[in-house]
Amino acid sequence: MAYKFNEIKLDKGMYSESGKSFEQVLESLDPNENYKGTPLEGMDAFQRQLKRFDIKVRGAGSDTVEKFFSTSESAVLFPEYVSRSVKAGMEEGNILPSITASVTHFEGMDYRSIYSAASEEDKSLRYVGEGALIPQTEIRSADHLVKLHKRGRMLVASYEAIRFQHLDLFSVMLRQIGNQIMRMHLEDAIDVMTNGDGNSNAAVQLSVGGNELGGTAGTLTYSEMLNFWNSFDPYTMNTLLASPDVMMQILKCSEFQNPLTGLNFQGTGEPGNPLGAKLIRCSALPSGTAIGLDKGYALEMVSAGDVAVEYDRLIDRQLERAAITSISGFAKLYDSASKVLKV
């Protein structure tokens, strides 16, 4: 059987089609649905191109970087390989899905989100008599634009230095770049949750030793955590980010040391939580700090495009100072859905 993927003409212009990624352009020329019921079912268009040029990117038998540049057409695949490896690194240990209510894809650098302009009286579910006006909730656009930030790393390596490196090992280096980029996005998210997105919506900060939480500053007990959890009504604190030192104090509470919690932690690596919230250790937080949030209402992530690589440089083997970037920003949805705990 003749497969169409062997006939596609690859060129660098496929990276610059407006509104489409290289993967989408390739898929439009070689649809996945054409391979249902064949040995190639389950592969996407890019993976079929790797097969076409016999390029193995993982495993003990992976090829060297040089294999991508054996022909001018196979070289066109190299930037997509770099992009996919970086994205794989961004997904490793990515906690943003655990703290964002929604993800909006937006083309541009300034984004205006929306919010609910409702008073406590508006939020209440009151009895509506026959013919009476139904209480309303007004949705408005935010006063200030949410700024998106370009985060990235520079790939600095000569072609001569990496041409004989196996792709399996080179992928590890690229995944680490992705991991570093995602760490930057996480720091942006924490900054917005703590200080707001420019729309006068900084998080309420509650301190151990204060009137609302009680206790002794510098020491966190289960009692203060209960008071913190209780402060979220009408929201539910279902996620708790904690700096490493605060996480240790939480796990040392006797309420976290029952046998079932221990078995769960040993079996899954996920610490149990008597408060019912997902506990996430986060080294991007300052020491002595935790952020509690209602994951479904606290934060919107705005993403502008996919991971971008300087494809011209990579295709032409000019790896020195080739930028790999990702653009995103964050907007707060409901002010009271996230709060900061200071120990």
Side-chain angles (χ1 to χ4, degrees), residues 96 100-114 145-150 185 188-189 197 299-305 326-333:
L96 288 179
T100 50
S102 68
V103 178
T104 300
H105 297 283
F106 172 77
E107 295 298 330
M109 291 300 294
D110 293 304
Y111 171 80
R112 193 182 298 276
S113 187
I114 59 174
L145 296 174
V146 174
K147 294 187 180 298
L148 276 62
H149 302 283
K150 178 184 284 189
H185 288 322
D188 289 339
D197 57 17
L299 197 65
E300 174 190 15
M301 180 176 179
V302 185
S303 176
S326 174
I327 301 174
S328 73
F330 298 88
K332 291 191 73 171
L333 296 178

Side-chain angles (χ1 to χ4, degrees), residues 34 94 107 160 186 202 222 226 238 249 296 300 314 340 343:
N34 292 346
N94 178 19
E107 295 298 330
E160 289 72 21
L186 175 59
Y222 190 57
L226 281 176
N238 49 38
Q249 290 199 51
E300 174 190 15
L314 297 180
V340 176
V343 178

Side-chain angles (χ1 to χ4, degrees), residues 254-275:
S254 59
E255 289 78 6
F256 286 79
Q257 296 178 5
N258 65 69
L260 291 179
T261 297
L263 286 173
N264 183 61
F265 182 72
Q266 294 167 20
T268 67
E270 295 285 342
N273 189 345
L275 299 178

Side-chain angles (χ1 to χ4, degrees), residues 94-314:
N94 178 19
I95 67 173
L96 288 179
S98 297
I99 63 175
T100 50
S102 68
V103 178
T104 300
H105 297 283
F106 172 77
E107 295 298 330
M109 291 300 294
D110 293 304
Y111 171 80
R112 193 182 298 276
S113 187
I114 59 174
Y115 71 99
S116 172
S119 66
E120 290 303 317
E121 177 68 15
D122 294 330
K123 294 176 186 177
S124 63
L125 299 178
R126 290 177 290 145
Y127 171 75
V128 179
E130 184 176 352
L133 292 176
I134 298 176
Q136 62 185 21
T137 296
E138 186 176 357
I139 305 297
R140 298 178 184 173
S141 60
D143 295 330
H144 293 87
L145 296 174
V146 174
K147 294 187 180 298
L148 276 62
H149 302 283
K150 178 184 284 189
R151 301 302 188 193
R153 308 290 294 184
M154 196 73 72
L155 179 60
V156 183
S158 68
Y159 175 68
E160 289 72 21
I162 65 170
R163 61 182 295 191
F164 298 121
Q165 293 298 323
H166 285 273
L167 291 168
D168 198 37
L169 176 61
F170 190 53
S171 296
V172 174
M173 307 301 161
L174 295 174
R175 291 203 309 271
Q176 177 61 15
I177 290 176
N179 192 275
Q180 292 166 340
I181 293 174
M182 186 52 68
R183 167 66 180 245
M184 297 178 198
H185 288 322
L186 175 59
E187 290 173 354
D188 289 339
I190 289 172
D191 179 65
V192 167
M193 280 194 292
T194 304
N195 302 312
D197 57 17
N199 288 286
S200 302
N201 51 7
V204 172
Q205 298 200 13
L206 302 177
S207 300
V208 175
N211 292 332
E212 291 191 63
L213 299 186
T216 304
T219 303
L220 182 64
T221 68
Y222 190 57
S223 177
E224 289 89 69
M225 291 182 63
L226 281 176
N227 290 335
F228 185 62
W229 170 84
N230 194 50
S231 71
F232 276 80
D233 185 68
Y235 299 102
T236 300
M237 190 189 78
N238 49 38
T239 304
L240 182 66
L241 299 179
S243 62
D245 61 318
V246 172
M247 179 64 103
M248 287 301 296
Q249 290 199 51
I250 292 174
L251 295 179
K252 287 179 180 179
C253 291
S254 59
E255 289 78 6
F256 286 79
Q257 296 178 5
N258 65 69
L260 291 179
T261 297
L263 286 173
N264 183 61
F265 182 72
Q266 294 167 20
T268 67
E270 295 285 342
N273 189 345
L275 299 178
K278 181 176 182 179
L279 274 176
I280 302 175
R281 183 180 60 183
C282 180
S283 59
L285 279 172
S287 61
T289 305
I291 297 179
L293 62 140
D294 189 328
K295 186 258 185 188
Y297 296 96
L299 197 65
E300 174 190 15
M301 180 176 179
V302 185
S303 176
D306 212 336
V307 172
V309 298
E310 293 187 315
Y311 61 88
D312 271 322
R313 286 177 173 269
L314 297 180

